[in-house]
Amino acid sequence: MMSCLDYFSHWQKQQPTIEEVEHDLFYDLPPDTDLADKEVFAVMKVGQLVGLIDLLHDYPQEETTILGLMVFHPRVRHQGLGTFCYQQVEKRCREKGQSKLRLGVYQSNGIGQKMWQKQGFIEVSQQDSPQGRLLVMEKELL
């Protein structure tokens, strides 16, 4: 996470500390949710950590999973790893009985928007935040 400053720059003005990243990734949950519905996956390549994926199932409603984070080290991007991992995310969500995936991408992150549109996500709403405009996107899992 600490090597993905370009990702954080879309919504934070300064680099987070390791402690902030650990807390947010493993323990930060919306109100009225259960830690048992949260999954965090490490993406490994040749024995090295190169990515992280964060899922929260049955939120904001049953059978919907929030894809809170999918980030990769810059040196492994644009090699098909993101697409492969996203396919595994869909598979995992179906295994958990989920029918929809939801995520947010900042309007300033044009590359992210294009990537999610390519995966079949559509914009369903927008939210303003102190960090900028957040585009809420969803995909029905067939």
Side-chain angles (χ1 to χ4, degrees):
M1 293 294 289
M2 304 310 289
S3 62
C4 299
L5 297 181
D6 59 328
Y7 169 79
F8 288 111
S9 69
H10 291 289
W11 55 278
Q12 283 189 221
K13 298 207 183 310
Q14 61 187 20
Q15 178 180 353
T17 66
I18 291 174
E19 293 79 15
E20 290 171 328
V21 169
E22 287 176 354
H23 177 268
D24 290 352
L25 186 61
F26 294 111
Y27 303 107
D28 193 30
L29 291 172
D32 301 319
T33 58
D34 192 325
L35 195 56
D37 293 324
K38 184 175 178 77
E39 293 186 298
V40 178
F41 296 95
V43 180
M44 306 295 289
K45 186 173 182 181
V46 193
Q48 291 191 331
L49 178 65
V50 297
L52 292 168
I53 300 170
D54 170 45
L55 303 174
L56 182 59
H57 303 292
D58 294 320
Y59 185 81
Q61 65 256 359
E62 288 190 30
E63 296 185 11
T64 298
T65 292
I66 291 282
L67 175 54
L69 177 72
M70 191 167 100
V71 64
F72 298 96
H73 190 283
R75 75 173 179 271
V76 298
R77 294 180 190 161
H78 309 291
Q79 299 174 17
L81 185 60
T83 299
F84 173 79
C85 287
Y86 173 71
Q87 291 167 348
Q88 301 310 304
V89 164
E90 275 198 18
K91 180 180 175 185
R92 179 66 179 158
C93 290
R94 285 188 188 97
E95 289 170 354
K96 299 284 280 182
Q98 304 295 284
S99 61
K100 188 186 300 181
L101 264 166
R102 183 180 181 121
L103 58 84
V105 61
Y106 284 98
Q107 192 171 32
S108 61
N109 184 358
I111 293 172
Q113 289 176 55
K114 288 178 186 174
M115 186 261 191
W116 294 121
Q117 289 168 344
K118 183 178 175 184
Q119 298 303 325
F121 282 81
I122 59 168
E123 182 182 326
V124 295
S125 67
Q126 296 184 7
Q127 300 173 356
D128 288 321
S129 75
Q131 296 84 12
R133 180 158 289 213
L134 185 70
L135 309 179
V136 179
M137 303 180 84
E138 291 183 347
K139 179 178 179 179
E140 296 288 333
L141 300 177
L142 305 174

PDB file of all heavy atoms in Angstrom, residues 47-80:
ATOM      1  N   GLY A  47       6.158 -15.048  -4.747  1.00  0.00           N
ATOM      2  CA  GLY A  47       6.452 -14.919  -3.329  1.00  0.00           C
ATOM      3  C   GLY A  47       6.460 -13.510  -2.769  1.00  0.00           C
ATOM      4  O   GLY A  47       6.800 -13.313  -1.610  1.00  0.00           O
ATOM      5  N   GLN A  48       6.083 -12.533  -3.578  1.00  0.00           N
ATOM      6  CA  GLN A  48       6.069 -11.150  -3.095  1.00  0.00           C
ATOM      7  C   GLN A  48       4.643 -10.603  -3.108  1.00  0.00           C
ATOM      8  O   GLN A  48       3.875 -10.866  -4.042  1.00  0.00           O
ATOM      9  CB  GLN A  48       6.955 -10.257  -3.962  1.00  0.00           C
ATOM     10  CG  GLN A  48       8.425 -10.555  -3.819  1.00  0.00           C
ATOM     11  CD  GLN A  48       9.273  -9.475  -4.485  1.00  0.00           C
ATOM     12  OE1 GLN A  48       8.846  -8.845  -5.437  1.00  0.00           O
ATOM     13  NE2 GLN A  48      10.469  -9.273  -3.962  1.00  0.00           N
ATOM     14  N   LEU A  49       4.329  -9.831  -2.076  1.00  0.00           N
ATOM     15  CA  LEU A  49       3.038  -9.164  -2.003  1.00  0.00           C
ATOM     16  C   LEU A  49       2.998  -8.057  -3.056  1.00  0.00           C
ATOM     17  O   LEU A  49       3.832  -7.152  -3.039  1.00  0.00           O
ATOM     18  CB  LEU A  49       2.827  -8.555  -0.615  1.00  0.00           C
ATOM     19  CG  LEU A  49       1.545  -7.782  -0.399  1.00  0.00           C
ATOM     20  CD1 LEU A  49       0.337  -8.690  -0.501  1.00  0.00           C
ATOM     21  CD2 LEU A  49       1.574  -7.094   0.965  1.00  0.00           C
ATOM     22  N   VAL A  50       2.036  -8.156  -3.983  1.00  0.00           N
ATOM     23  CA  VAL A  50       1.949  -7.161  -5.057  1.00  0.00           C
ATOM     24  C   VAL A  50       0.588  -6.490  -5.126  1.00  0.00           C
ATOM     25  O   VAL A  50       0.383  -5.578  -5.922  1.00  0.00           O
ATOM     26  CB  VAL A  50       2.308  -7.764  -6.439  1.00  0.00           C
ATOM     27  CG1 VAL A  50       3.754  -8.234  -6.470  1.00  0.00           C
ATOM     28  CG2 VAL A  50       1.357  -8.898  -6.810  1.00  0.00           C
ATOM     29  N   GLY A  51      -0.362  -6.947  -4.294  1.00  0.00           N
ATOM     30  CA  GLY A  51      -1.682  -6.337  -4.342  1.00  0.00           C
ATOM     31  C   GLY A  51      -2.529  -6.715  -3.154  1.00  0.00           C
ATOM     32  O   GLY A  51      -2.226  -7.660  -2.423  1.00  0.00           O
ATOM     33  N   LEU A  52      -3.606  -5.946  -2.983  1.00  0.00           N
ATOM     34  CA  LEU A  52      -4.568  -6.188  -1.912  1.00  0.00           C
ATOM     35  C   LEU A  52      -5.979  -6.003  -2.448  1.00  0.00           C
ATOM     36  O   LEU A  52      -6.225  -5.129  -3.279  1.00  0.00           O
ATOM     37  CB  LEU A  52      -4.343  -5.211  -0.754  1.00  0.00           C
ATOM     38  CG  LEU A  52      -3.055  -5.398   0.030  1.00  0.00           C
ATOM     39  CD1 LEU A  52      -2.813  -4.203   0.940  1.00  0.00           C
ATOM     40  CD2 LEU A  52      -3.088  -6.680   0.832  1.00  0.00           C
ATOM     41  N   ILE A  53      -6.885  -6.834  -1.935  1.00  0.00           N
ATOM     42  CA  ILE A  53      -8.294  -6.758  -2.304  1.00  0.00           C
ATOM     43  C   ILE A  53      -9.111  -6.793  -1.020  1.00  0.00           C
ATOM     44  O   ILE A  53      -8.861  -7.624  -0.147  1.00  0.00           O
ATOM     45  CB  ILE A  53      -8.692  -7.924  -3.228  1.00  0.00           C
ATOM     46  CG1 ILE A  53      -7.862  -7.883  -4.512  1.00  0.00           C
ATOM     47  CG2 ILE A  53     -10.192  -7.891  -3.536  1.00  0.00           C
ATOM     48  CD1 ILE A  53      -7.999  -9.112  -5.384  1.00  0.00           C
ATOM     49  N   ASP A  54     -10.087  -5.900  -0.913  1.00  0.00           N
ATOM     50  CA  ASP A  54     -10.932  -5.780   0.267  1.00  0.00           C
ATOM     51  C   ASP A  54     -12.389  -5.892  -0.158  1.00  0.00           C
ATOM     52  O   ASP A  54     -12.839  -5.142  -1.032  1.00  0.00           O
ATOM     53  CB  ASP A  54     -10.658  -4.419   0.925  1.00  0.00           C
ATOM     54  CG  ASP A  54     -11.634  -4.073   2.023  1.00  0.00           C
ATOM     55  OD1 ASP A  54     -11.936  -4.946   2.855  1.00  0.00           O
ATOM     56  OD2 ASP A  54     -12.095  -2.920   2.065  1.00  0.00           O
ATOM     57  N   LEU A  55     -13.108  -6.838   0.449  1.00  0.00           N
ATOM     58  CA  LEU A  55     -14.525  -7.055   0.143  1.00  0.00           C
ATOM     59  C   LEU A  55     -15.350  -6.982   1.425  1.00  0.00           C
ATOM     60  O   LEU A  55     -14.906  -7.439   2.482  1.00  0.00           O
ATOM     61  CB  LEU A  55     -14.744  -8.445  -0.472  1.00  0.00           C
ATOM     62  CG  LEU A  55     -13.969  -8.787  -1.744  1.00  0.00           C
ATOM     63  CD1 LEU A  55     -14.201 -10.240  -2.123  1.00  0.00           C
ATOM     64  CD2 LEU A  55     -14.362  -7.862  -2.874  1.00  0.00           C
ATOM     65  N   LEU A  56     -16.548  -6.441   1.317  1.00  0.00           N
ATOM     66  CA  LEU A  56     -17.509  -6.460   2.414  1.00  0.00           C
ATOM     67  C   LEU A  56     -18.826  -6.981   1.846  1.00  0.00           C
ATOM     68  O   LEU A  56     -19.469  -6.324   1.031  1.00  0.00           O
ATOM     69  CB  LEU A  56     -17.696  -5.071   3.027  1.00  0.00           C
ATOM     70  CG  LEU A  56     -18.648  -4.992   4.212  1.00  0.00           C
ATOM     71  CD1 LEU A  56     -18.195  -5.899   5.364  1.00  0.00           C
ATOM     72  CD2 LEU A  56     -18.787  -3.551   4.682  1.00  0.00           C
ATOM     73  N   HIS A  57     -19.207  -8.194   2.277  1.00  0.00           N
ATOM     74  CA  HIS A  57     -20.402  -8.859   1.760  1.00  0.00           C
ATOM     75  C   HIS A  57     -21.653  -8.389   2.498  1.00  0.00           C
ATOM     76  O   HIS A  57     -21.607  -7.984   3.654  1.00  0.00           O
ATOM     77  CB  HIS A  57     -20.262 -10.372   1.900  1.00  0.00           C
ATOM     78  CG  HIS A  57     -19.056 -10.926   1.208  1.00  0.00           C
ATOM     79  ND1 HIS A  57     -18.915 -10.933  -0.161  1.00  0.00           N
ATOM     80  CD2 HIS A  57     -17.916 -11.468   1.700  1.00  0.00           C
ATOM     81  CE1 HIS A  57     -17.748 -11.477  -0.476  1.00  0.00           C
ATOM     82  NE2 HIS A  57     -17.120 -11.809   0.630  1.00  0.00           N
ATOM     83  N   ASP A  58     -22.760  -8.465   1.780  1.00  0.00           N
ATOM     84  CA  ASP A  58     -24.080  -8.102   2.308  1.00  0.00           C
ATOM     85  C   ASP A  58     -24.136  -6.664   2.798  1.00  0.00           C
ATOM     86  O   ASP A  58     -24.736  -6.355   3.825  1.00  0.00           O
ATOM     87  CB  ASP A  58     -24.527  -9.078   3.414  1.00  0.00           C
ATOM     88  CG  ASP A  58     -24.769 -10.468   2.874  1.00  0.00           C
ATOM     89  OD1 ASP A  58     -25.338 -10.580   1.766  1.00  0.00           O
ATOM     90  OD2 ASP A  58     -24.395 -11.446   3.545  1.00  0.00           O
ATOM     91  N   TYR A  59     -23.524  -5.785   2.020  1.00  0.00           N
ATOM     92  CA  TYR A  59     -23.556  -4.353   2.326  1.00  0.00           C
ATOM     93  C   TYR A  59     -23.557  -3.567   1.020  1.00  0.00           C
ATOM     94  O   TYR A  59     -22.797  -3.919   0.122  1.00  0.00           O
ATOM     95  CB  TYR A  59     -22.343  -3.954   3.178  1.00  0.00           C
ATOM     96  CG  TYR A  59     -22.410  -2.511   3.600  1.00  0.00           C
ATOM     97  CD1 TYR A  59     -23.181  -2.133   4.684  1.00  0.00           C
ATOM     98  CD2 TYR A  59     -21.748  -1.530   2.885  1.00  0.00           C
ATOM     99  CE1 TYR A  59     -23.279  -0.795   5.055  1.00  0.00           C
ATOM    100  CE2 TYR A  59     -21.835  -0.199   3.246  1.00  0.00           C
ATOM    101  CZ  TYR A  59     -22.597   0.160   4.329  1.00  0.00           C
ATOM    102  OH  TYR A  59     -22.701   1.475   4.697  1.00  0.00           O
ATOM    103  N   PRO A  60     -24.338  -2.560   0.853  1.00  0.00           N
ATOM    104  CA  PRO A  60     -25.234  -1.934   1.820  1.00  0.00           C
ATOM    105  C   PRO A  60     -26.558  -2.665   1.996  1.00  0.00           C
ATOM    106  O   PRO A  60     -27.370  -2.285   2.828  1.00  0.00           O
ATOM    107  CB  PRO A  60     -25.458  -0.540   1.254  1.00  0.00           C
ATOM    108  CG  PRO A  60     -25.313  -0.705  -0.217  1.00  0.00           C
ATOM    109  CD  PRO A  60     -24.297  -1.790  -0.400  1.00  0.00           C
ATOM    110  N   GLN A  61     -26.794  -3.730   1.217  1.00  0.00           N
ATOM    111  CA  GLN A  61     -27.967  -4.562   1.423  1.00  0.00           C
ATOM    112  C   GLN A  61     -27.561  -6.016   1.208  1.00  0.00           C
ATOM    113  O   GLN A  61     -26.472  -6.282   0.702  1.00  0.00           O
ATOM    114  CB  GLN A  61     -29.135  -4.169   0.496  1.00  0.00           C
ATOM    115  CG  GLN A  61     -28.878  -4.388  -0.965  1.00  0.00           C
ATOM    116  CD  GLN A  61     -28.576  -3.111  -1.735  1.00  0.00           C
ATOM    117  OE1 GLN A  61     -28.572  -2.030  -1.181  1.00  0.00           O
ATOM    118  NE2 GLN A  61     -28.316  -3.232  -3.013  1.00  0.00           N
ATOM    119  N   GLU A  62     -28.432  -6.929   1.589  1.00  0.00           N
ATOM    120  CA  GLU A  62     -28.129  -8.345   1.404  1.00  0.00           C
ATOM    121  C   GLU A  62     -27.868  -8.651  -0.062  1.00  0.00           C
ATOM    122  O   GLU A  62     -28.434  -8.023  -0.945  1.00  0.00           O
ATOM    123  CB  GLU A  62     -29.277  -9.206   1.927  1.00  0.00           C
ATOM    124  CG  GLU A  62     -29.350  -9.218   3.438  1.00  0.00           C
ATOM    125  CD  GLU A  62     -30.325 -10.255   3.955  1.00  0.00           C
ATOM    126  OE1 GLU A  62     -30.519 -11.287   3.292  1.00  0.00           O
ATOM    127  OE2 GLU A  62     -30.885 -10.014   5.029  1.00  0.00           O
ATOM    128  N   GLU A  63     -26.998  -9.616  -0.280  1.00  0.00           N
ATOM    129  CA  GLU A  63     -26.621 -10.098  -1.613  1.00  0.00           C
ATOM    130  C   GLU A  63     -25.874  -9.070  -2.445  1.00  0.00           C
ATOM    131  O   GLU A  63     -25.777  -9.201  -3.661  1.00  0.00           O
ATOM    132  CB  GLU A  63     -27.834 -10.639  -2.372  1.00  0.00           C
ATOM    133  CG  GLU A  63     -28.453 -11.846  -1.718  1.00  0.00           C
ATOM    134  CD  GLU A  63     -29.578 -12.446  -2.533  1.00  0.00           C
ATOM    135  OE1 GLU A  63     -29.770 -12.064  -3.707  1.00  0.00           O
ATOM    136  OE2 GLU A  63     -30.279 -13.321  -1.988  1.00  0.00           O
ATOM    137  N   THR A  64     -25.338  -8.038  -1.799  1.00  0.00           N
ATOM    138  CA  THR A  64     -24.492  -7.054  -2.479  1.00  0.00           C
ATOM    139  C   THR A  64     -23.148  -7.017  -1.766  1.00  0.00           C
ATOM    140  O   THR A  64     -23.091  -6.972  -0.548  1.00  0.00           O
ATOM    141  CB  THR A  64     -25.127  -5.652  -2.447  1.00  0.00           C
ATOM    142  OG1 THR A  64     -26.362  -5.687  -3.148  1.00  0.00           O
ATOM    143  CG2 THR A  64     -24.214  -4.617  -3.093  1.00  0.00           C
ATOM    144  N   THR A  65     -22.090  -7.045  -2.544  1.00  0.00           N
ATOM    145  CA  THR A  65     -20.738  -6.940  -2.000  1.00  0.00           C
ATOM    146  C   THR A  65     -20.132  -5.615  -2.427  1.00  0.00           C
ATOM    147  O   THR A  65     -20.207  -5.238  -3.601  1.00  0.00           O
ATOM    148  CB  THR A  65     -19.838  -8.087  -2.498  1.00  0.00           C
ATOM    149  OG1 THR A  65     -20.308  -9.315  -1.934  1.00  0.00           O
ATOM    150  CG2 THR A  65     -18.385  -7.886  -2.104  1.00  0.00           C
ATOM    151  N   ILE A  66     -19.539  -4.939  -1.469  1.00  0.00           N
ATOM    152  CA  ILE A  66     -18.759  -3.737  -1.760  1.00  0.00           C
ATOM    153  C   ILE A  66     -17.320  -4.166  -2.019  1.00  0.00           C
ATOM    154  O   ILE A  66     -16.719  -4.855  -1.188  1.00  0.00           O
ATOM    155  CB  ILE A  66     -18.780  -2.751  -0.574  1.00  0.00           C
ATOM    156  CG1 ILE A  66     -20.158  -2.148  -0.387  1.00  0.00           C
ATOM    157  CG2 ILE A  66     -17.727  -1.660  -0.741  1.00  0.00           C
ATOM    158  CD1 ILE A  66     -20.513  -1.040  -1.341  1.00  0.00           C
ATOM    159  N   LEU A  67     -16.808  -3.788  -3.164  1.00  0.00           N
ATOM    160  CA  LEU A  67     -15.387  -3.958  -3.456  1.00  0.00           C
ATOM    161  C   LEU A  67     -14.715  -2.676  -2.983  1.00  0.00           C
ATOM    162  O   LEU A  67     -14.734  -1.662  -3.669  1.00  0.00           O
ATOM    163  CB  LEU A  67     -15.165  -4.203  -4.951  1.00  0.00           C
ATOM    164  CG  LEU A  67     -13.734  -4.287  -5.457  1.00  0.00           C
ATOM    165  CD1 LEU A  67     -12.928  -5.324  -4.702  1.00  0.00           C
ATOM    166  CD2 LEU A  67     -13.725  -4.596  -6.937  1.00  0.00           C
ATOM    167  N   GLY A  68     -14.210  -2.716  -1.756  1.00  0.00           N
ATOM    168  CA  GLY A  68     -13.674  -1.511  -1.134  1.00  0.00           C
ATOM    169  C   GLY A  68     -12.310  -1.120  -1.645  1.00  0.00           C
ATOM    170  O   GLY A  68     -11.955   0.055  -1.655  1.00  0.00           O
ATOM    171  N   LEU A  69     -11.537  -2.108  -2.071  1.00  0.00           N
ATOM    172  CA  LEU A  69     -10.168  -1.829  -2.496  1.00  0.00           C
ATOM    173  C   LEU A  69      -9.682  -2.948  -3.398  1.00  0.00           C
ATOM    174  O   LEU A  69      -9.909  -4.128  -3.121  1.00  0.00           O
ATOM    175  CB  LEU A  69      -9.259  -1.746  -1.262  1.00  0.00           C
ATOM    176  CG  LEU A  69      -7.776  -1.539  -1.505  1.00  0.00           C
ATOM    177  CD1 LEU A  69      -7.520  -0.116  -1.984  1.00  0.00           C
ATOM    178  CD2 LEU A  69      -6.994  -1.803  -0.231  1.00  0.00           C
ATOM    179  N   MET A  70      -9.050  -2.574  -4.471  1.00  0.00           N
ATOM    180  CA  MET A  70      -8.296  -3.504  -5.300  1.00  0.00           C
ATOM    181  C   MET A  70      -7.140  -2.691  -5.854  1.00  0.00           C
ATOM    182  O   MET A  70      -7.324  -1.870  -6.759  1.00  0.00           O
ATOM    183  CB  MET A  70      -9.145  -4.101  -6.423  1.00  0.00           C
ATOM    184  CG  MET A  70      -8.431  -5.258  -7.106  1.00  0.00           C
ATOM    185  SD  MET A  70      -9.501  -6.241  -8.179  1.00  0.00           S
ATOM    186  CE  MET A  70      -9.043  -5.563  -9.749  1.00  0.00           C
ATOM    187  N   VAL A  71      -5.985  -2.890  -5.280  1.00  0.00           N
ATOM    188  CA  VAL A  71      -4.833  -2.065  -5.635  1.00  0.00           C
ATOM    189  C   VAL A  71      -3.612  -2.963  -5.832  1.00  0.00           C
ATOM    190  O   VAL A  71      -3.452  -3.974  -5.148  1.00  0.00           O
ATOM    191  CB  VAL A  71      -4.579  -0.977  -4.556  1.00  0.00           C
ATOM    192  CG1 VAL A  71      -4.208  -1.577  -3.224  1.00  0.00           C
ATOM    193  CG2 VAL A  71      -3.545   0.040  -5.007  1.00  0.00           C
ATOM    194  N   PHE A  72      -2.781  -2.568  -6.804  1.00  0.00           N
ATOM    195  CA  PHE A  72      -1.596  -3.355  -7.159  1.00  0.00           C
ATOM    196  C   PHE A  72      -0.365  -2.462  -7.190  1.00  0.00           C
ATOM    197  O   PHE A  72      -0.452  -1.280  -7.552  1.00  0.00           O
ATOM    198  CB  PHE A  72      -1.773  -4.006  -8.540  1.00  0.00           C
ATOM    199  CG  PHE A  72      -2.923  -4.961  -8.573  1.00  0.00           C
ATOM    200  CD1 PHE A  72      -4.169  -4.556  -9.020  1.00  0.00           C
ATOM    201  CD2 PHE A  72      -2.772  -6.259  -8.119  1.00  0.00           C
ATOM    202  CE1 PHE A  72      -5.244  -5.420  -9.031  1.00  0.00           C
ATOM    203  CE2 PHE A  72      -3.843  -7.133  -8.125  1.00  0.00           C
ATOM    204  CZ  PHE A  72      -5.082  -6.710  -8.587  1.00  0.00           C
ATOM    205  N   HIS A  73       0.754  -3.058  -6.854  1.00  0.00           N
ATOM    206  CA  HIS A  73       2.030  -2.349  -6.929  1.00  0.00           C
ATOM    207  C   HIS A  73       2.240  -1.877  -8.375  1.00  0.00           C
ATOM    208  O   HIS A  73       1.928  -2.606  -9.323  1.00  0.00           O
ATOM    209  CB  HIS A  73       3.171  -3.282  -6.503  1.00  0.00           C
ATOM    210  CG  HIS A  73       4.460  -2.571  -6.314  1.00  0.00           C
ATOM    211  ND1 HIS A  73       5.237  -2.174  -7.368  1.00  0.00           N
ATOM    212  CD2 HIS A  73       5.087  -2.160  -5.191  1.00  0.00           C
ATOM    213  CE1 HIS A  73       6.319  -1.558  -6.914  1.00  0.00           C
ATOM    214  NE2 HIS A  73       6.243  -1.536  -5.590  1.00  0.00           N
ATOM    215  N   PRO A  74       2.765  -0.666  -8.557  1.00  0.00           N
ATOM    216  CA  PRO A  74       2.943  -0.143  -9.926  1.00  0.00           C
ATOM    217  C   PRO A  74       3.726  -1.062 -10.862  1.00  0.00           C
ATOM    218  O   PRO A  74       3.429  -1.109 -12.062  1.00  0.00           O
ATOM    219  CB  PRO A  74       3.693   1.175  -9.707  1.00  0.00           C
ATOM    220  CG  PRO A  74       3.290   1.607  -8.338  1.00  0.00           C
ATOM    221  CD  PRO A  74       3.126   0.324  -7.545  1.00  0.00           C
ATOM    222  N   ARG A  75       4.663  -1.831 -10.353  1.00  0.00           N
ATOM    223  CA  ARG A  75       5.489  -2.656 -11.252  1.00  0.00           C
ATOM    224  C   ARG A  75       4.745  -3.852 -11.852  1.00  0.00           C
ATOM    225  O   ARG A  75       5.222  -4.472 -12.797  1.00  0.00           O
ATOM    226  CB  ARG A  75       6.757  -3.119 -10.547  1.00  0.00           C
ATOM    227  CG  ARG A  75       6.582  -4.219  -9.554  1.00  0.00           C
ATOM    228  CD  ARG A  75       7.936  -4.735  -9.027  1.00  0.00           C
ATOM    229  NE  ARG A  75       7.731  -5.775  -8.066  1.00  0.00           N
ATOM    230  CZ  ARG A  75       7.570  -5.597  -6.764  1.00  0.00           C
ATOM    231  NH1 ARG A  75       7.632  -4.379  -6.268  1.00  0.00           N
ATOM    232  NH2 ARG A  75       7.376  -6.616  -5.962  1.00  0.00           N
ATOM    233  N   VAL A  76       3.550  -4.193 -11.300  1.00  0.00           N
ATOM    234  CA  VAL A  76       2.820  -5.341 -11.854  1.00  0.00           C
ATOM    235  C   VAL A  76       1.533  -4.921 -12.578  1.00  0.00           C
ATOM    236  O   VAL A  76       0.757  -5.770 -12.992  1.00  0.00           O
ATOM    237  CB  VAL A  76       2.482  -6.389 -10.765  1.00  0.00           C
ATOM    238  CG1 VAL A  76       3.751  -6.958 -10.165  1.00  0.00           C
ATOM    239  CG2 VAL A  76       1.561  -5.826  -9.709  1.00  0.00           C
ATOM    240  N   ARG A  77       1.340  -3.643 -12.737  1.00  0.00           N
ATOM    241  CA  ARG A  77       0.141  -3.171 -13.431  1.00  0.00           C
ATOM    242  C   ARG A  77       0.276  -3.352 -14.942  1.00  0.00           C
ATOM    243  O   ARG A  77       1.377  -3.472 -15.469  1.00  0.00           O
ATOM    244  CB  ARG A  77      -0.099  -1.692 -13.115  1.00  0.00           C
ATOM    245  CG  ARG A  77      -0.440  -1.472 -11.652  1.00  0.00           C
ATOM    246  CD  ARG A  77      -0.666  -0.018 -11.360  1.00  0.00           C
ATOM    247  NE  ARG A  77      -0.753   0.210  -9.925  1.00  0.00           N
ATOM    248  CZ  ARG A  77      -0.579   1.387  -9.360  1.00  0.00           C
ATOM    249  NH1 ARG A  77      -0.344   2.456 -10.101  1.00  0.00           N
ATOM    250  NH2 ARG A  77      -0.661   1.512  -8.061  1.00  0.00           N
ATOM    251  N   HIS A  78      -0.859  -3.373 -15.616  1.00  0.00           N
ATOM    252  CA  HIS A  78      -0.925  -3.471 -17.084  1.00  0.00           C
ATOM    253  C   HIS A  78      -0.346  -4.790 -17.598  1.00  0.00           C
ATOM    254  O   HIS A  78       0.218  -4.841 -18.688  1.00  0.00           O
ATOM    255  CB  HIS A  78      -0.234  -2.277 -17.754  1.00  0.00           C
ATOM    256  CG  HIS A  78      -0.696  -0.957 -17.215  1.00  0.00           C
ATOM    257  ND1 HIS A  78      -1.963  -0.466 -17.429  1.00  0.00           N
ATOM    258  CD2 HIS A  78      -0.066  -0.048 -16.428  1.00  0.00           C
ATOM    259  CE1 HIS A  78      -2.089   0.697 -16.810  1.00  0.00           C
ATOM    260  NE2 HIS A  78      -0.967   0.965 -16.187  1.00  0.00           N
ATOM    261  N   GLN A  79      -0.502  -5.845 -16.792  1.00  0.00           N
ATOM    262  CA  GLN A  79      -0.030  -7.173 -17.189  1.00  0.00           C
ATOM    263  C   GLN A  79      -1.153  -8.205 -17.126  1.00  0.00           C
ATOM    264  O   GLN A  79      -0.909  -9.399 -17.236  1.00  0.00           O
ATOM    265  CB  GLN A  79       1.123  -7.620 -16.278  1.00  0.00           C
ATOM    266  CG  GLN A  79       2.327  -6.718 -16.340  1.00  0.00           C
ATOM    267  CD  GLN A  79       3.391  -7.096 -15.319  1.00  0.00           C
ATOM    268  OE1 GLN A  79       3.394  -8.188 -14.779  1.00  0.00           O
ATOM    269  NE2 GLN A  79       4.312  -6.190 -15.066  1.00  0.00           N
ATOM    270  N   GLY A  80      -2.390  -7.735 -16.928  1.00  0.00           N
ATOM    271  CA  GLY A  80      -3.529  -8.644 -16.869  1.00  0.00           C
ATOM    272  C   GLY A  80      -3.839  -9.171 -15.476  1.00  0.00           C
ATOM    273  O   GLY A  80      -4.824  -9.884 -15.286  1.00  0.00           O
TER     274      GLY A  80
END
